[in-house]
């Protein structure tokens, strides 16, 4: 028996490496890893017996906030259905491929956690069962992981599945599911090379998740986006709710946000969306102190979500955040300025080259000290180029995330603030090396 676990670990790692080699992910290569269209995804699901058709689901799209909303909603639903599991499918992962596919429960397991990631044996088994299809049809990385999630959730008989789109909505692999509720969290100018140059075009793509007769909750979106979404809902005969509707008797979103373990300033809007979604799903008013409320405000702990204004240490204060587009960065920089209170800020910053880099850099504080870096993968903007574009007076390039974070922490005094961000991939690599950093410098957690 002792030989089984190492052998499983070996097979699992080989399986994941093969997935990356045969189907490069958008996470690594950008647009080359994006396969719009639904034919391959539909055929893949049919190959597996159409597991998506047996799922009771909530489907979530949006430029920003969809990951936080998905995790908070999954945590709340798990508390609503004790003894049953809620499926949670999100992307990208930060530290472990299996973060994408989780089961969330009201009851903690032996390890004290309320979530479990898909088992390594389940990943290996899925790859074996679908090897012939993958060789014949060459699905994208996201199509593979989506099929894996649907198959796993069916096998685990989840009470409900919370499904986050990967990119857009209308042509996203996840759109083959017919949910009980659709959610569009926000609309902003991101992924313009694939989704369109205007708010209206991007809203049209996101609104593609709306299904005939299925209600939709819309978060904080520009008016021009709301017009597009409401028109699509009307065409589909889908009742449309604005975030904040169906909340009579609920705890205020401001109160919940103040107590939530997701700390970024945008979470008040996200919580309002979650409260409305729960109301539309028929779960009644969420009141302070209830099991659903406690799960919702502890969503990061309950579901294992990381990288959303996450404090890694207190002296120096080290914060990481995956916000990477103009809308998200504008919020995080306002929050950083408010929380720094004039303290010296050291920014460890790296971006994907396909983002609106110049616009984002204009939002970054001029008075901070910058260590520009780059994550691995061809999408990353070279650190030296980021220095040139950002045009910050106190700026150097360290094109290795581990070295950049180590340098920042070694330079920081106990009263300084270190901010790590610009890309979820920079944050992912920073989190992966953080334990090493802790062993090399005395920081207070």
């Amino acid at each position: 028996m002792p030989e089984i676990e190492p052998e499983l670990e070996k097979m699992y790692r080989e399986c994941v490496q093969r997935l990356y080699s045969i189907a490069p992910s958008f996470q690594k290569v950008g647009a080359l890893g994006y396969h719009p269209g639904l034919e391959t995804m539909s055929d893949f699901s049919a190959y597996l017996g159409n597991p998506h058709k047996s799922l009771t689901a909530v489907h979530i799209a949006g430029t920003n906030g969809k990951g936080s909303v998905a995790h908070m909603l999954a945590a709340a639903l798990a508390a609503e259905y004790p003894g049953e599991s809620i499926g949670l499918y999100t992307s990208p992962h930060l530290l472990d491929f299996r973060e994408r596919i989780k089961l969330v429960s009201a009851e903690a397991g032996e390890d004290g956690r309320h979530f479990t990631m898909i088992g390594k044996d389940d990943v290996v088994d899925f790859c074996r069962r679908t090897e012939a299809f993958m060789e014949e049809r060459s699905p994208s990385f996201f199509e593979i992981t989506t099929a894996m999630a649907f198959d796993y959730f069916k096998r685990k008989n989840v009470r409900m599945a919370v499904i986050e789109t990967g990119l857009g909505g209308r042509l996203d692999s996840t759109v083959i599911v017919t949910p009980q509720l659709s959610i569009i969290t926000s609309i902003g100018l991101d992924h313009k090379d694939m989704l369109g140059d205007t708010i209206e075009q991007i809203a049209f793509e996101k609104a593609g998740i709306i299904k005939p007769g299925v209600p939709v909750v819309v978060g904080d979106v520009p008016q021009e986006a709301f017009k597009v979404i409401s028109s699509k809902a009307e065409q589909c005969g889908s009742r449309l709710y604005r975030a904040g509707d169906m909340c009579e008797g609920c705890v205020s979103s401001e109160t919940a946000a103040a107590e939530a373990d997701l700390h970024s300033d945008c979470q008040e809007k996200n919580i309002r969306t979650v409260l409305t979604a729960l109301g539309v799903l028929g779960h009644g008013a969420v009141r302070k102190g209830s099991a659903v409320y406690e799960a919702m405000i502890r969503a990061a702990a309950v579901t294992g979500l990381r990288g959303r204004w996450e404090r890694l240490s207190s002296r120096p204060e080290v914060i990481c955040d995956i916000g990477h587009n103009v809308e998200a960065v504008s919020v995080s920089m306002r929050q950083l300025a408010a929380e720094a209170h004039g303290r010296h800020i050291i920014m460890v910053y790296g971006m994907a080259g396909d983002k609106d880099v110049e616009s984002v850099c204009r939002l970054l504080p001029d008075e901070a000290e910058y260590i520009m870096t780059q994550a691995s993968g061809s999408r990353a903007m070279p650190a030296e180029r980021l220095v040139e574009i950002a045009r910050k007076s106190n700026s150097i390039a360290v094109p290795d995330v581990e070295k950049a974070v180590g340098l920042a922490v070694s330079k920081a005094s106990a009263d300084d603030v270190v901010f790590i961000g610009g890309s979820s991939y920079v944050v992912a690599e920073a989190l992966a090396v953080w334990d090493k950093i802790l062993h090399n410098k005395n920081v207070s957690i």
Side-chain angles (χ1 to χ4, degrees):
M1 290 299 290
E3 303 86 29
I4 294 179
E5 187 59 33
E7 181 62 24
L8 172 60
E9 181 68 24
K10 178 175 180 291
M11 290 189 294
Y12 167 73
R13 293 195 177 280
E14 289 175 350
C15 179
V16 173
Q17 288 171 0
R18 184 167 179 270
L19 289 183
Y20 277 117
S21 66
I22 65 174
S25 71
F26 181 84
Q27 184 170 349
K28 293 291 185 183
V29 301
L32 293 175
Y34 175 53
H35 293 190
L38 302 176
E39 182 180 356
T40 301
M41 187 66 235
S42 296
D43 290 348
F44 202 168
S45 194
Y47 183 85
L48 292 164
N50 289 314
H52 68 286
K53 292 185 177 180
S54 67
L55 298 178
T56 301
V58 176
H59 197 197
I60 307 175
T63 302
N64 294 307
K66 62 182 184 293
S68 294
V69 167
H71 285 79
M72 285 191 284
L73 185 58
L77 289 171
E80 185 75 19
Y81 298 113
E84 300 187 81
S85 294
I86 302 299
L88 178 60
Y89 176 54
T90 59
S91 61
H93 64 271
L94 294 181
L95 298 175
D96 188 326
F97 167 82
R98 298 179 301 138
E99 292 170 27
R100 295 167 177 260
I101 304 170
K102 295 177 179 176
L103 301 180
V104 184
S105 304
E107 298 78 17
E110 292 181 2
D111 57 3
R113 302 193 306 186
H114 290 265
F115 71 93
T116 56
M117 296 184 287
I118 184 173
K120 294 178 180 180
D121 55 338
D122 295 297
V123 175
V124 171
D125 175 67
F126 178 86
C127 290
R128 284 175 172 169
R129 287 187 288 117
T130 60
E131 183 177 11
F133 182 90
M134 288 194 281
E135 288 185 354
E136 179 183 351
R137 297 295 297 276
S138 300
S140 72
F141 183 85
F142 191 71
E143 286 168 336
I144 294 169
T145 59
T146 301
M148 187 184 297
F150 290 164
D151 180 72
Y152 182 68
F153 293 156
K154 179 183 177 181
R155 288 172 175 270
K156 293 298 183 178
N157 193 31
V158 298
R159 178 63 176 78
M160 186 172 285
V162 178
I163 308 294
E164 178 192 14
T165 60
L167 184 65
R170 183 176 64 92
L171 299 176
D172 189 78
S173 301
T174 61
V175 83
I176 64 171
V177 75
T178 298
Q180 278 197 338
L181 174 66
S182 302
I183 301 174
I184 300 174
T185 59
S186 66
I187 301 292
L189 293 173
D190 199 9
H191 300 298
K192 293 190 290 185
D193 53 335
M194 288 167 280
L195 301 182
D197 309 290
T198 68
I199 289 291
E200 290 88 351
Q201 289 173 329
I202 292 174
F204 174 78
E205 294 297 329
K206 306 285 187 186
I209 70 167
I210 300 174
K211 299 293 199 310
V214 175
V216 56
V217 171
V218 181
D220 186 26
V221 302
Q223 186 57 31
E224 58 267 40
F226 184 74
K227 289 181 180 178
V228 174
I229 295 168
S230 59
S231 175
K232 174 67 173 181
E234 185 177 356
Q235 292 171 19
C236 290
S238 300
R239 186 166 180 180
L240 187 149
Y241 299 85
R242 299 296 297 259
D245 294 344
M246 302 292 289
C247 288
E248 184 176 354
C250 285
V251 64
S252 75
S253 53
E254 293 88 350
T255 296
E259 297 187 350
D261 64 359
L262 292 174
H263 299 291
S264 61
D265 286 352
C266 62
Q267 296 305 341
E268 190 272 326
K269 294 178 181 178
N270 292 333
I271 287 171
R272 193 183 312 138
T273 299
V274 172
L275 292 174
T276 297
L278 290 168
V280 175
L281 289 169
H283 297 291
V286 177
R287 303 183 190 280
K288 185 177 171 66
S290 67
V292 170
Y293 174 81
E294 294 299 327
M296 182 182 70
I297 65 169
R298 295 182 56 252
V302 170
T303 65
L305 179 61
R306 301 194 67 184
R308 274 70 170 179
W309 202 264
E310 181 177 353
R311 285 183 174 83
L312 300 178
S313 75
S314 58
R315 288 180 64 82
E317 187 170 8
V318 180
I319 298 167
C320 65
D321 188 78
I322 67 169
H324 55 264
N325 53 45
V326 169
E327 289 78 10
V329 173
S330 63
V331 173
S332 62
M333 289 304 102
R334 285 196 300 270
Q335 186 169 357
L336 179 61
E339 296 196 13
H341 293 300
R343 289 179 290 164
H344 180 57
I345 300 171
I346 302 174
M347 303 280 290
V348 178
Y349 217 75
M351 294 190 67
D354 53 9
K355 297 297 179 183
D356 188 353
V357 177
E358 291 192 8
S359 295
V360 167
C361 286
R362 284 195 289 270
L363 298 170
L364 304 180
D366 291 329
E367 64 277 8
E369 179 180 355
Y370 285 86
I371 302 172
M372 299 301 191
T373 191
Q374 65 193 75
S376 59
S378 59
R379 285 185 71 199
M381 170 164 284
E384 295 84 356
R385 178 61 180 147
L386 188 54
V387 168
E388 294 173 1
I389 293 174
R391 297 189 294 277
K392 304 298 182 184
S393 58
N394 191 358
S395 179
I396 62 172
V398 179
D400 177 280
V401 173
E402 179 173 357
K403 292 178 180 178
V405 174
L407 177 61
V409 173
S410 69
K411 289 166 68 71
S413 72
D415 293 328
D416 288 346
V417 178
V418 177
F419 181 89
I420 305 167
S423 160
S424 56
Y425 315 123
V426 167
V427 170
E429 292 186 23
L431 289 173
V433 304
W434 186 247
D435 284 345
K436 298 180 185 177
I437 303 293
L438 290 182
H439 286 104
N440 292 328
K441 182 173 176 67
N442 182 27
V443 297
S444 177
I445 300 300

